[in-house]
Amino acid sequence: TLLRLFHPLLGVLMAGLVFLHGWLMLFAGPKLTDARLFSGIAATIFLVAVLLIGWKMGTSASQRRIHRLLAGALVVGYIVHVAL
């Protein structure tokens, strides 16, 4: 399907935007020491885990399940980060 074709590209683009945003906020943005900073770091850790598992994932159903669970955790981390 079309989504399956663009899925890796969208993941890499999302990661690039997240890392750019994180770098700008840490070094050029306001100095945050509240929960928003820590929730952003947690969401970024989930993103890195999703990227690494997605990169190394073969046809294993268990790896696919872990990839989806971590993607769900990433979405929850993003929602918490935006909501704070």
Side-chain angles (χ1 to χ4, degrees), residues 3 8 10 14 18-19 21 29 34 43 58 60-61 65 69 73 78 82-83:
L3 179 60
L10 293 173
M14 177 183 159
V18 166
F19 293 136
H21 168 72
D34 59 354
S60 170
R65 184 175 57 86
L69 286 172
Y78 171 75
V82 170

Side-chain angles (χ1 to χ4, degrees), residues 12-52:
V12 170
L13 287 174
M14 177 183 159
L17 289 174
V18 166
F19 293 136
L20 177 65
H21 168 72
W23 183 81
L24 289 173
M25 290 298 107
L26 281 176
F27 297 111
K31 298 301 176 203
L32 299 174
T33 57
D34 59 354
R36 184 173 285 179
L37 173 68
F38 298 115
S39 66
I41 291 171
T44 304
I45 290 170
F46 285 128
L47 173 66
V48 169
V50 168
L51 286 172
L52 289 175

